């Protein structure tokens, strides 16, 4: 809302919250085979009211995050969800929302806390994406349009629901921006926090590796490589190597610590388990086959592995995640669901390669003439976008071949700026209504054509908002087919996500 309105604030009305409550009220919930733990206390009047208003935000994986925030990592498969987000939700529920404890039970306060946090993180993520776009693209117009598209992301329901996507997007985009600004240590801290939110945060280590290698390679191309400079070269190499090792260790540290915690909890002796776990939750584990801490000396199979990593075991055992495992005829609808983001991501990579073939072949490690002349190219096809294209392509390929393919939309939408940068690039490049020069003339000309068909010129958008997305929507009958396709993808997934996800129907 802050981005869509020409003037607004965090206190503005959020239509997403209204529509999820409306759809949750009008459409009966689907009887999905999803994680649904029993409530241990009877809800009060205010709990029931909050559930009616925000219940659509607690579906599917949101139940895991809320359960972890309330009970900790009780079941083995809860360890697929990393701890920083549920810890933050619990902290706000026990801290800022503590005065509401007489009105709302803990579970309701956790749901309210998740909604507030995600609203904040979504706005901060959009702002970080805008700042990052200004630095990388060197084009404020495209950067601003990309940030606006983020506010109506196809994965928007997951940015609002009790999921970790909005927090991860904020940390990842902020870390990328800080790295571009040369603030390596702050960037490393943010990347490290991001890896404590989602497992795919580990791949962000590639940004540090590439940045360090590029900086070192460009330094070698300055001046002569004489023998007299060899000691200095080794000194620089050791300095770069040590900083890279420290940064990479910092990014991997949250993941490693969490695996150690899971090993100690589920592979150690489960003494007095029946006394520590409430009976309804213990019965749920017996009925559903959920793994608990070791009882009677029986440990889960992953505990005896050479490298006991609970995350990969859960993905393999509970969700059947693996290379080409999802390539089945019955999964065709899910592949169709992921088709728009797959095509958009592939098109983005192909467009960049065609615009920068030599830069891609040399991995951007060769000094360019434009750098020497101080005139870098601006926009999506500028060489600085290279590492982000590689990052998005790796995520796209991994998600397509190794994951449940329908999650690709939110997987890319919360991890990579490319989805928004490339969409903004296409709109800015091919839509006359967004061109900085002759925009009003273009609108006037198109309005004249419409008036010849019997439509009044006053219906066109000379008086529309300065917001480019609003301008496109107000003149939707005049925009190009490509623009209509992009807007249809963003807005239809925004709406369908609300309708389906909030009622336990399958979505991305």
């Amino acid at each position: 809302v802050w981005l869509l309105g020409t003037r607004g604030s965090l206190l503005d009305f959020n239509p997403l919250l209204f529509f999820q409550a409306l759809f949750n009220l009008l459409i009966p919930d689907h009887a999905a085979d999803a994680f649904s733990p029993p409530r241990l206390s009877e809800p009060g009047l205010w709990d029931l009211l909050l559930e009616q208003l925000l219940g659509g935000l607690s579906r599917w994986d949101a139940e895991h995050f809320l359960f972890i925030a309330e009970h900790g990592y009780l079941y083995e498969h809860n360890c697929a969800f990393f701890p920083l987000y549920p810890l933050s939700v619990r902290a706000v529920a026990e801290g800022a929302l503590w005065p509401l404890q007489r009105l709302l039970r803990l579970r309701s306060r956790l749901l309210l806390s998740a909604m507030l946090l995600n609203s904040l993180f979504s706005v901060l993520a959009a702002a970080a994406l805008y700042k990052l776009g200004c630095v990388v693209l060197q084009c404020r117009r495209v950067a601003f349009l990309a940030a606006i598209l983020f506010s109506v992301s196809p994965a928007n329901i997951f940015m609002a629901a009790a999921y970790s996507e909005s927090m991860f997007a904020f940390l990842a985009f902020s870390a990328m921006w800080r790295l571009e600004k040369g603030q390596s240590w702050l960037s490393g801290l943010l990347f490290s926090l991001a890896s404590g939110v989602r497992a795919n945060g580990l791949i962000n280590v590639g940004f540090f590796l590439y940045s360090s290698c590029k900086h070192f390679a460009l330094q070698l191309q300055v001046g002569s490589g004489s023998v007299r400079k060899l000691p200095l070269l080794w000194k620089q190499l050791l300095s770069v190597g040590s900083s890279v090792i420290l940064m990479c260790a910092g990014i991997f540290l949250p993941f490693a610590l969490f695996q150690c915690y899971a090993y100690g909890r589920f592979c150690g002796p489960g003494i007095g388990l029946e006394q520590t776990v409430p009976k309804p939750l213990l019965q749920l584990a017996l009925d559903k086959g959920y793994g608990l801490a070791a009882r009677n000396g029986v440990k889960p199979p992953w505990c005896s592995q050479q490298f006991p990593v609970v995350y990969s075991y859960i993905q393999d055992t509970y969700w059947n995640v693996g290379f080409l495992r999802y390539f089945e005829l019955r999964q065709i609808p899910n592949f169709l669901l992921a088709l728009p983001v797959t095509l958009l991501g592939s098109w983005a990579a192909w467009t960049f390669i065609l615009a920068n073939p030599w830069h891609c072949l040399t991995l951007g490690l060769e000094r360019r003439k434009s750098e020497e002349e101080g005139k870098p190219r601006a926009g999506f096809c500028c060489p600085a976008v290279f590492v982000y294209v590689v990052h998005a392509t790796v995520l796209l390929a991994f998600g397509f071949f190794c994951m449940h393919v329908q999650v690709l939309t939110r997987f890319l939408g919360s991890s990579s700026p490319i989805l928004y940068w490339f969409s903004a690039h296409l709109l800015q490049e091919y839509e006359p209504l967004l061109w900085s020069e002759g925009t009003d003339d273009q609108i006037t000309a198109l309005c004249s054509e419409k008036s010849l068909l019997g439509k009044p010129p006053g219906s066109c958008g000379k008086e529309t908002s300065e917001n480019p997305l609003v301008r496109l929507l107000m003149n939707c009958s005049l925009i190009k087919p490509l623009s209509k396709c992009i807007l249809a993808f963003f807005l239809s997934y925004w709406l369908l996500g609300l309708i389906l996800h909030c009622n336990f129907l399958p979505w991305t």
Side-chain angles (χ1 to χ4, degrees):
V1 176
W2 172 73
L3 282 163
L4 280 175
T6 53
R7 296 178 179 86
S9 69
L10 281 173
L11 300 178
D12 285 335
F13 170 70
N14 191 337
L16 186 144
L17 297 178
F18 170 76
F19 282 118
Q20 67 82 26
L22 179 64
F23 294 139
N24 191 32
L25 177 65
L26 297 179
I27 303 175
D29 287 345
H30 174 63
D33 185 19
F35 181 63
S36 182
R39 307 290 183 251
L40 302 182
S41 60
E42 287 296 324
L45 177 63
W46 291 103
D47 295 306
L48 294 174
L49 177 60
L50 187 72
E51 185 67 25
Q52 286 294 325
L53 294 176
L54 301 179
L57 304 180
S58 64
R59 307 309 192 206
W60 297 105
D61 289 352
E63 283 285 3
H64 285 279
F65 286 112
L66 295 173
F67 181 84
I68 293 167
E70 185 175 4
H71 301 287
Y73 286 91
L74 182 62
Y75 301 133
E76 181 183 59
H77 68 297
N78 291 145
C79 292
F81 305 92
F82 281 31
L84 186 55
Y85 178 70
L87 284 175
S88 301
V89 170
R90 181 63 180 260
V92 173
E94 296 285 19
L97 301 182
W98 177 80
L100 299 178
Q101 63 176 339
R102 292 188 177 181
L103 297 176
L104 299 172
R105 59 180 177 170
L106 178 58
R107 206 268 182 184
S108 299
R109 283 184 283 128
L110 290 172
L111 178 57
L112 181 58
S113 169
M115 184 275 292
L116 294 174
L117 277 178
N118 284 6
S119 297
L120 175 62
F121 285 134
S122 294
V123 172
L124 294 178
L129 179 62
Y130 170 70
K131 293 289 187 180
L132 176 65
C134 289
V135 175
V136 176
L137 304 176
Q138 294 294 310
C139 181
R140 289 182 178 272
R141 184 181 295 270
V142 176
F144 181 65
L145 182 53
I148 292 175
L149 290 174
F150 177 83
S151 70
V152 289
S153 168
N156 203 284
I157 180 58
F158 302 101
M159 303 290 182
Y163 278 59
S164 59
E165 267 74 3
S166 59
M167 186 180 192
F168 182 80
F170 161 63
L171 291 172
F173 295 161
S174 298
M176 295 170 190
W177 172 45
R178 295 296 181 180
L179 185 60
E180 291 288 346
K181 298 287 287 185
Q183 301 171 350
S184 299
W185 292 104
L186 179 55
S187 175
L189 175 62
L190 293 170
F191 273 136
S192 180
L193 292 174
S195 66
V197 177
R198 292 182 60 84
N200 60 293
L202 297 178
I203 200 174
N204 290 331
V205 73
F207 288 103
F208 267 110
L209 293 174
Y210 180 77
S211 177
S212 300
C213 291
K214 181 179 178 180
H215 180 71
F216 183 71
L218 295 181
Q219 277 189 332
L220 293 180
Q221 299 172 48
V222 177
S224 60
S226 60
V227 179
R228 288 176 298 177
K229 292 187 177 181
L230 192 58
L232 180 61
L233 177 64
W234 277 107
K235 184 178 179 180
Q236 292 176 339
L237 184 60
L238 289 175
S239 175
V240 170
S242 59
S243 64
V244 166
I245 291 174
L246 287 175
M247 291 296 183
C248 293
I251 294 175
F252 276 88
L253 182 62
F255 180 87
L257 290 177
F258 184 57
Q259 302 310 304
C260 292
Y261 164 79
Y263 183 85
R265 180 167 181 80
F266 292 95
C267 300
I271 301 175
L273 184 68
E274 286 77 4
Q275 285 72 34
T276 59
V277 180
K279 288 185 178 180
L281 300 182
L282 185 61
Q283 186 61 45
L284 178 67
L286 297 175
D287 294 340
K288 296 290 187 178
Y290 296 153
L292 290 164
R295 292 182 296 172
N296 303 322
V298 180
K299 298 181 179 181
W302 62 271
C303 294
S304 57
Q305 295 176 353
Q306 185 177 3
F307 298 101
V309 179
V310 65
Y311 181 78
S312 57
Y313 171 79
I314 292 171
Q315 295 291 338
D316 175 56
T317 305
Y318 287 87
W319 284 290
N320 193 33
V321 171
F323 182 64
L324 297 182
R325 291 188 184 180
Y326 222 57
F327 280 66
E328 302 174 337
L329 288 177
R330 62 191 180 95
Q331 301 298 345
I332 288 179
N334 287 323
F335 276 90
L336 293 177
L337 196 61
L339 185 61
V341 75
T342 303
L343 293 177
L344 203 58
S346 304
W347 189 9
W350 182 247
T351 299
F352 185 85
I353 291 173
L354 289 181
N356 303 275
W358 182 249
H359 187 82
C360 295
L361 285 175
T362 60
L363 302 181
L365 301 180
E366 184 181 59
R367 184 172 293 274
R368 304 181 302 274
K369 291 183 179 180
S370 59
E371 282 185 341
E372 298 171 356
E373 298 170 357
K375 297 178 181 178
R377 194 192 321 178
F380 176 79
C381 293
C382 71
V385 180
F386 171 73
V387 66
Y388 299 94
V389 171
V390 173
H391 173 251
T393 305
V394 170
L395 291 178
L396 179 62
F398 179 78
F400 190 83
F401 291 106
C402 302
M403 295 172 58
H404 293 179
V405 71
Q406 69 268 25
V407 307
L408 262 180
T409 303
R410 62 184 172 100
F411 186 55
L412 282 176
S414 63
S415 305
S416 171
I418 290 298
L419 176 64
Y420 310 105
W421 284 350
F422 186 61
S423 299
H425 162 76
L426 292 176
L427 291 174
Q428 188 64 48
E429 188 77 11
Y430 299 106
E431 182 49 61
L433 293 181
L434 296 181
W435 293 347
S436 58
E437 296 181 2
T439 302
D440 292 338
D441 293 338
Q442 180 71 20
I443 294 177
T444 303
L446 291 172
C447 288
S448 299
E449 293 180 9
K450 293 293 183 181
S451 64
L452 292 176
L453 297 175
K455 297 187 178 181
S459 63
C460 292
K462 215 169 183 180
E463 68 282 355
T464 57
S465 168
E466 294 178 358
N467 186 305
L469 184 57
V470 173
R471 167 173 284 184
L472 292 177
L473 294 176
M474 294 293 290
N475 297 278
C476 59
S477 62
L478 308 178
I479 61 177
K480 301 292 184 182
L482 177 60
S483 302
K484 291 180 180 179
C485 290
I486 294 173
L487 294 180
F489 168 51
F490 275 77
L491 297 178
S492 63
Y493 271 55
W494 185 92
L495 183 61
L496 286 173
L498 282 175
I499 297 173
L500 298 177
H501 177 87
C502 294
N503 294 286
F504 270 121
L505 292 164
W507 186 237
T508 66

